[in-house]
Every structure is written in structure tokens, then in C-alpha cells.
Amino acid sequence: MNRQPSEQTEIDGPPWLTPAFAVLGIAAGLLVRAGIEVGPAASSPAGAALAAFALFAAGSFALIFDAARWREQTVFALALGLVEAGLAYNLAQAGRPSGDYAPAAAIALGLIAVPLFQSRAHRLRFAIDPAEAHGHAWTDAISAGGALAFLGASWIALTVTGELFALLKITLVKDAIRSTTFDFAFSGAALGAALSVMREQRRVVATLQLVAMTVLSLLALPLAAVLVVFLGAMVVSGPGVLWEATRSATPVLMGSAIGAFFLANAVLRDSDADLPRSRVVRFAGLVLPLGILPLAVFAAVSMGTRVAQHGLSPERLWALVAIALACAWGLAWWVAAARGRLAGWPAAMRRANVHMAFVSLVAAAILALPILDFGAIAARNQVARLQSGAVQPDAFDYGALRWDFGPAGRRALARLASDPRPQVRDGVAAAMVGGREARVPYFDRQEQARRAAKAVIRPDDPDVRRAFGAFLTTRSYLCEQGCTLLRRSDPTRFALVDGGMVLGLSLRGGAFVQEPDPAPPGRSAGGPAQVEIRKVTREQVFVDGKPVGEPLD
């Protein structure tokens, strides 16, 4: 239960605790630095494991430390660090596909495990007190946020100190800042000392928690009203209007569900005694969690439509996992509201939070382990669509298999190289040439072909239009709102007018290339430069009688 700040007492730790936490932070920072030197940590399994162990072991120990339980907490911190190190080693070694969120699942595993351990879930299991678990989660979040704020302030102070000493020709501090080893050690010391101080100043943390919950509770009311209006409009007009309005329906819906989740927990507080006094705000706290399930269902429909159109990809599979978890959490809150009815729904929802925390912990562990290969699942689905005729060979995104689906996608692409259809073999050969930047998804090819067909070309020439369409294929940022291509006095040179931007293009060998910006004038070595004014004649693009862009060379 969250006590009022006036009832909170500061925890008196030994005088050596803050220096000890600073030393612990220095050690963790140096280990992270060593892990990066091995790799970098993002690609080196050993470096990633060392960095993950240092971050999670030291960070969790600093958050959960209690002198009365230090042995048990040390074992947990070391165990969590080893688990995260093993996950990081596997993730760096496996060569995960693009858009893989297994590292996020590993981080979520640690973030969920810490407050559950603080609530003695390893002893009480599902019988832990929801108020205690909720309080630990908020306290950890505020302590971590305060430590990060102190880290930023520390760096500002250190930078100012370095500049002041530099005025006296003393560059010792500025030279130290340039050392990455010092940077990691200093950051670790600042974070460790800050977490120790935040632990001792529980009165301050409790006040910050109360302020955060109060502010978020105020935001819950307008969001609940918007949610009711939105869901009502969806019921009346149907979800089709949403798909027509945006191609990013799923992220918008899931972002709204996440916002509703956090604001709902801000209203729920730790216990019924801490609930907001306003009945309107309490009602908003009921509407928000009940709105998560329909939002997640609409997101599932949106993602299902996208999968039916374009098949599976690793990113879409991760999105489906997130949607499934949101549906499960929303359903749990609906069941809790039904069981608690009008009077007991807050307590029932807090208990549902505890149950779903365990579910999320297990889900994060499964997703972080090398059990499910989303790249292989998506690659099989895409190849099956190609083989069944659901997608034509000239419309298939071969580059995605190479760049976005990991090793499984590249193996599938190698098998397609022996396909009897020449269009497939040509597509595979094109995908194997060039880097990631040369890859053009089918959707972009379609869109750019449409833009090229709508472009105004003067004088119009089928060969020029065909070459211009090929030029636009790899430049999705051009001609979004229409454009005009004008031939200049030199028949091989053109001016592309796109809004207020003018680009110079040259037609070489039947293909357009963008002309480079004019280089600054050089000067000959020795002697003074000759400077003079001359009259020059240049071409200039005019739109409705007004000049647009810079004069053309």
C-alpha cells in the first residue's frame, strides 16, 4: 500500500552505502565498456553477454538492495545478470532478422522480474499483495527516472567544470571527458550514487509517485472521453473508414491501448484508500481498461488485413504477439470488472494485473529464447504465397528475403534460385546484387510507377517517361504531390520541379542521374586570386511567372 509522504520515513543506510554503490556503478560501467570493446556488443556474442550481465546484475541489485535481505538479493541479481547474459549471447550469435524484437523481450523479462522479486513472488507466487507489487513497480520506475535525471545533471556540471578549467589552460577535465573509459566509469558512478540516494529518500520518492499518479489521473479523463467517442464512431461507421484514412492503423490503435493501460493504472493506485476522490475520474479509470480489448481487437483486424494482402514478415509476427498480449490483458480486465462489479472492480483489476504480470513474464522468456524463429516462419509463408500464385513473380519482394528475414530468408532465396520460372530466377539474381539501399519493395515500385505516370513531362516523350519512372523507383521521397519534368536547351539535361524544389537531371545512356551540386570555386596555388564581376546567362524555372529554386547551370 502506498503511504502518504508525511507517514514515510527515510531509510537510514550505513554511511558507506552511497560510495559503495558508486563503486559498483564504476565496475558495471567498465564492464559494459569492456563488452563494447570485444565487439561491438551489438554483434559480438561475448561482448553482448558481458554488457548485459553488468547492466542487469548491477542495476537490479541497486534497485532491490535491503540490508536485511542482501544475501537473497545478491543471488537474484547475479542470477538475473546471468540469464540476461545468456539471452544476449544467443541473440548476438543467432543473426536475427531485421525488425526482430527479441532484445526488447529480454529487457522486458528483467523489468518484470525485479518488482515481482521485491514482492516475494518466489515465495508467495500468485498470493503476492497487488498493492505491494504495484508500489514496487512505481518506486523502481521513479528511482530509475531520478537516477537518469541526476546523470544528465552530472554531465552538465562536469562539462561546465571542464570549460572553466580550460579558461585557465588546464585541460585535464576536458581530456578525461574525451576518454570513453572515463565516460562509462563516470556514468556508472553517477547512476549508482543516485540510486543509493533515491533508496534512502523514500519520502521524496513517495511524493514524486503521488504527483505522477495525480497528473496522469487528470489525463485519464480526456482520454477516456476520446476513447468512448472513437469506439462509438467505429461501431456506427465500421472499421473500413479507419483503414482508408491511414496505413498505420495498427500502431495507432496499439499506442492508444498502451496509453490507456498506463493511465488506468495511475487511477487504480495501490489500494482503494488511495483512489481519486472524484467519481468522474474513477469512472474514467474504469472506461480506460475496458477500452483496451476493443482497441486490441480492431488492431488484430487491421493486422489480419495487412497479412492477407502481403503475407507474414518478422515485424508483423511481433505485432501479432503484442496484439495477442493486449487482447489477453484487456480480457483479464473485463473479467475482473465483471467479478468485482460496481464496488470491487479496482481491487479485482489490481489482482488481474498480478496474474497478467506472470503471464507477461513467461511470454517474454519464451520470446527471448531461441524457440520461435519468426524469420523462418515468415519466409515459409512468403515462399508458399509465391508458389501458390497468391503473388506473381514480378511482384514478389525478393529483397525482403535477403535483408529482412535473417538466415532463414537467405536460405529460402537460395532455393528459389533454382525455380523453373525465369521471372523468379531473375528476381533472385536482382536481389543478390547491390546493398540494402538498392532494395525496392513492391509497394514502392507500384507507388512510384503511379507517380511517374501522373508527372507532367514537357515535351512529353515515351522514352523519357520510361526512364523517369525507373529513376523514381529508388527515390520514394520525390513527386509525392505531383511534379513536372522540363527539358532544357541541352536535350540531355532536364529540370525536375517538385513543389518548391528544383533538381537538375541528366539523361545518360537511357537512364536519369541527378546532377551534383555545383562545387565551390577553387583557386590556383601561389599568388593572389583574380576576382571580377561578369554577366552570365543562365536558365531559371518559373511557375506562374515567379522564379522557383536556384538558377540552373
Side-chain angles (χ1 to χ4, degrees):
M1 180 176 174
N2 186 34
R3 292 177 293 176
Q4 297 297 325
S6 59
E7 299 173 356
Q8 287 279 0
T9 57
E10 298 181 5
I11 297 179
D12 294 326
W16 48 262
L17 186 62
T18 298
F21 271 39
V23 172
L24 176 64
I26 293 174
L30 293 177
L31 286 176
V32 172
R33 173 71 181 116
I36 293 176
E37 287 182 345
V38 171
S43 58
S44 167
L50 183 60
F53 174 81
L55 283 174
F56 281 91
S60 61
F61 184 77
L63 285 173
I64 67 178
F65 177 78
D66 184 354
R69 301 170 56 197
W70 70 269
R71 292 183 179 86
E72 185 178 58
Q73 293 163 350
T74 302
V75 172
F76 170 80
L78 292 176
L80 180 61
L82 290 174
V83 168
E84 295 290 344
L87 294 175
Y89 186 93
N90 172 75
L91 293 174
Q93 190 179 42
R96 311 291 294 192
S98 174
D100 184 77
Y101 292 92
I107 294 173
L109 174 66
L111 296 179
I112 297 172
V114 168
L116 287 179
F117 172 81
Q118 291 173 294
S119 305
R120 296 167 295 170
H122 56 296
R123 299 181 183 275
L124 303 176
R125 295 179 177 84
F126 290 105
I128 63 176
D129 183 9
E132 184 179 3
H134 191 267
H136 282 305
W138 274 97
T139 300
D140 293 344
I142 292 174
S143 297
L148 291 174
F150 178 77
L151 174 63
S154 299
W155 270 107
I156 293 174
L158 184 65
T159 303
V160 172
T161 301
E163 295 297 334
L164 288 175
F165 277 102
L167 296 176
L168 303 176
K169 308 298 182 180
I170 301 174
T171 61
L172 180 64
V173 177
K174 295 188 69 174
D175 293 340
I177 293 176
R178 296 191 185 99
S179 169
T180 54
T181 300
F182 174 83
D183 293 346
F184 278 88
F186 178 81
S187 298
L191 289 173
L195 287 174
S196 173
V197 173
M198 295 292 287
R199 173 194 168 276
E200 295 178 355
Q201 300 295 329
R202 290 298 176 86
R203 181 180 302 171
V204 175
V205 174
T207 301
L208 292 174
Q209 178 179 340
L210 181 61
V211 170
M213 287 185 174
T214 302
V215 172
L216 293 177
S217 297
L218 295 176
L219 295 176
L221 184 58
L223 182 59
V226 170
L227 193 58
V228 170
V229 174
F230 173 79
L231 294 176
M234 289 285 289
V235 172
V236 174
S237 59
V241 65
L242 185 63
W243 318 146
E244 295 172 2
T246 176
R247 296 183 182 273
S248 305
T250 301
V252 172
L253 292 168
M254 288 300 295
S256 301
I258 293 172
F261 171 81
F262 283 106
L263 295 183
N265 277 290
V267 176
L268 288 174
R269 306 290 174 90
D270 294 346
S271 66
D272 289 349
D274 297 325
L275 287 172
R277 297 180 179 180
S278 172
R279 292 185 178 181
V280 177
V281 176
R282 292 190 184 189
F283 181 72
L286 175 61
V287 171
L288 288 175
L290 295 183
I292 290 178
L293 182 58
L295 287 173
V297 170
F298 281 129
V301 174
S302 172
M303 182 53 61
T305 303
R306 187 68 61 195
V307 170
Q309 291 174 341
H310 305 291
L312 292 175
S313 69
E315 287 188 351
R316 293 188 189 112
L317 285 169
W318 280 103
L320 289 172
V321 169
I323 291 171
L325 188 60
C327 287
W329 212 299
L331 181 60
W333 272 358
W334 270 87
V335 173
R339 287 183 175 180
R341 299 182 180 179
L342 292 178
W345 64 266
M349 286 188 174
R350 294 189 203 98
R351 176 58 58 185
N353 274 345
V354 172
H355 295 161
M356 285 306 302
F358 281 99
V359 172
S360 301
L361 182 70
V362 174
I366 294 175
L367 294 171
L369 290 169
I371 298 175
L372 299 174
D373 188 347
F374 285 173
I377 296 172
R380 287 195 297 269
N381 173 262
Q382 293 291 346
V383 172
R385 284 166 49 84
L386 177 64
Q387 302 292 1
S388 66
V391 58
Q392 296 302 313
D394 60 343
F396 189 76
D397 194 352
Y398 301 93
L401 289 179
R402 181 184 178 188
W403 298 110
D404 297 343
F405 289 62
R410 289 186 283 275
R411 290 193 297 268
L413 189 64
R415 290 192 295 269
L416 289 177
S418 59
D419 192 278
R421 292 168 290 182
Q423 302 97 322
V424 175
R425 295 196 301 271
D426 291 344
V428 172
M432 298 303 296
V433 177
R436 180 189 291 268
E437 67 281 355
R439 177 200 159 200
V440 184
Y442 176 61
F443 171 78
D444 288 344
R445 295 201 301 270
Q446 284 185 314
E447 174 66 16
Q448 294 306 93
R450 183 189 65 79
R451 295 179 186 178
K454 292 178 59 178
V456 176
I457 299 180
R458 296 177 181 170
D460 200 356
D461 184 319
D463 294 333
V464 171
R465 186 174 293 277
R466 185 163 44 252
F468 184 60
F471 175 78
L472 286 184
T473 299
T474 56
R475 294 164 176 84
S476 60
Y477 55 89
L478 290 177
C479 299
E480 292 187 57
Q481 305 298 327
C483 57
T484 302
L485 185 67
L486 304 173
R487 189 191 296 269
R488 299 173 58 183
S489 56
D490 184 343
T492 64
R493 304 182 71 190
F494 294 78
L496 174 61
V497 183
D498 185 3
M501 177 177 62
V502 177
L503 297 179
L505 305 181
S506 296
L507 188 60
R508 302 173 184 172
F512 275 108
V513 294
Q514 182 173 341
E515 296 178 349
D517 295 332
R523 53 175 299 180
S524 57
Q530 182 178 355
V531 181
E532 57 183 322
I533 297 177
R534 294 183 180 181
K535 291 184 178 181
V536 297
T537 301
R538 293 184 178 180
E539 294 176 315
Q540 171 79 51
V541 174
F542 283 78
V543 176
D544 294 333
K546 297 180 180 179
V548 177
E550 297 294 329
L552 301 171
D553 289 333

